[in-house]
Amino acid sequence: MIVCHNQAAVLPACLESLLARTGDASMALTVVDSGSHDDIERVARSYPVTFLRGPNMGFAAAVNRALAAGAVGRARYLLLVNPDTEMRTGTLSQLLALCDKRPRCGVVGTHQVDEYGELIPTMAREPSPADYWHTWRTGLPVWHWDGARYQAESRCAWVSGSWMLIRRQALEQVGRLDERFFLYSEETDLCKRIRDRGWEVAYLPQVTVMHRVADRPFNAHLWRVLVWSQLLYMRKWFGVRERASMRLALAATSARGILRARRTGKPDAPDRVALAASLWFRPGRYGPEPEGETSR
């Protein structure tokens, strides 16, 4: 399942990589549109896919719309794929065979690199006050950054939703994605709910996926949505004191980032946006990028 928003230019490479690396698996591709203004429908319908048009209500809502439409059918697994990704090694049938041998794996992530071949951390720690203050002390976000860890199979709290395999049985036990999350943190929430039901979240390095993130331009709106999604996650899973501690750590980390950027002469826009977002959650702006807004 591929959720798209104005990404017709990259969709063909994504679809072709999936079709070329299906292996012996039986796969049904669904492209879910989220309020695109490009020619995504024409591009999608030139491939053997089911196309679902709809408004931009967020990633979780788009996935749930496809689930409600019966896009998964009788499939044993649901694969969530960003349109700006491409499979580079391994096959889907190989990945499914590995998952079948690990019956307690409810969610699986794979090895990811950017367009220059550099490792993208995709395994993450469990959000907590201690972890947020760890990020403040070290400057390292929630991901596991040890490259050696990505060379072998591993377990973690959650994996990136940019390329995520979900066992249908686990999803049926916990229910669909939480649509309160417009974008970001929905995979953190889903993995927590699945782990709370006794399933494991696994990382399998046998499949490599290229994700086009290295040259992605800074987008202020998406950056603040990222922070606001974290605040929503805190509100859902933590008490008042824990939330206050996590939010303070989030703001302190951004403030430190601003000072560091100014000392080194680097851009401080991401940290400035994150600091403002951590201090002021504006529900009316939590959603699609407002018309006419640019990456300011």
Side-chain angles (χ1 to χ4, degrees), residues 99-165:
C99 293
D100 286 342
K101 294 178 181 178
R102 296 156 176 79
R104 295 313 304 164
C105 287
V107 176
V108 171
T110 60
H111 187 69
Q112 288 195 29
V113 297
D114 65 20
E115 52 267 53
Y116 300 105
E118 295 296 320
L119 173 70
I120 300 175
T122 54
M123 288 188 285
R125 306 183 298 267
E126 176 74 7
S128 68
D131 192 71
Y132 269 74
W133 285 109
H134 172 79
T135 296
W136 173 76
R137 289 192 302 272
T138 64
L140 297 176
V142 67
W143 306 107
H144 291 291
W145 293 92
D146 181 8
R149 181 166 181 169
Y150 290 88
Q151 301 304 310
E153 179 178 339
S154 184
R155 300 293 185 272
C156 59
W158 58 280
V159 292
S160 170
S162 56
W163 214 93
M164 172 190 282
L165 186 70

Side-chain angles (χ1 to χ4, degrees), residues 235-255:
R235 184 181 301 173
K236 179 175 180 178
W237 292 107
F238 294 93
V240 174
R241 291 184 178 180
E242 292 172 310
R243 294 201 305 268
S245 177
M246 296 166 77
R247 194 166 184 174
L248 177 60
L250 186 61
T253 300
S254 300

Side-chain angles (χ1 to χ4, degrees), residues 100-229:
D100 286 342
K101 294 178 181 178
R102 296 156 176 79
R104 295 313 304 164
C105 287
V107 176
V108 171
T110 60
H111 187 69
Q112 288 195 29
V113 297
D114 65 20
E115 52 267 53
Y116 300 105
E118 295 296 320
L119 173 70
I120 300 175
T122 54
M123 288 188 285
R125 306 183 298 267
E126 176 74 7
S128 68
D131 192 71
Y132 269 74
W133 285 109
H134 172 79
T135 296
W136 173 76
R137 289 192 302 272
T138 64
L140 297 176
V142 67
W143 306 107
H144 291 291
W145 293 92
D146 181 8
R149 181 166 181 169
Y150 290 88
Q151 301 304 310
E153 179 178 339
S154 184
R155 300 293 185 272
C156 59
W158 58 280
V159 292
S160 170
S162 56
W163 214 93
M164 172 190 282
L165 186 70
I166 307 169
R167 191 182 297 268
R168 178 175 179 157
Q169 183 182 357
L171 185 63
E172 288 177 342
Q173 287 187 10
V174 303
R176 296 174 181 173
L177 278 65
D178 190 337
E179 296 185 15
R180 287 176 290 183
F181 299 102
F182 175 78
L183 186 65
Y184 307 117
S185 290
E186 70 283 312
E187 76 266 57
T188 316
D189 176 76
L190 178 65
C191 286
K192 175 175 174 52
R193 289 190 285 135
I194 285 177
R195 285 189 296 106
D196 285 349
R197 293 298 295 266
W199 297 92
E200 296 177 344
V201 175
Y203 165 84
L204 300 179
Q206 291 87 342
V207 168
T208 298
V209 173
M210 186 276 290
H211 191 187
R212 298 183 181 278
V213 295
D215 293 329
R216 182 183 293 172
F218 170 68
N219 184 297
H221 181 69
L222 291 182
W223 204 257
R224 70 175 66 95
V225 167
L226 171 66
V227 174
W228 287 340
S229 292

Side-chain angles (χ1 to χ4, degrees), residues 33-98:
D33 173 59
S34 285
S36 297
H37 301 298
D38 57 13
D39 58 348
I40 187 70
E41 183 170 2
R42 179 190 62 79
V43 172
R45 292 191 183 280
S46 65
Y47 292 87
V49 306
T50 298
F51 180 80
L52 300 176
R53 178 180 293 282
N56 188 6
M57 302 297 291
F59 179 82
V63 172
N64 289 345
R65 179 155 42 89
L67 293 174
V72 178
R74 296 179 177 272
R76 295 183 298 119
Y77 294 95
L78 168 65
L79 179 64
L80 301 182
V81 178
N82 273 23
D84 57 352
T85 63
E86 299 172 28
M87 288 187 71
R88 288 295 174 86
T89 68
T91 64
L92 290 176
S93 58
Q94 177 188 9
L95 183 61
L96 296 184
L98 292 169

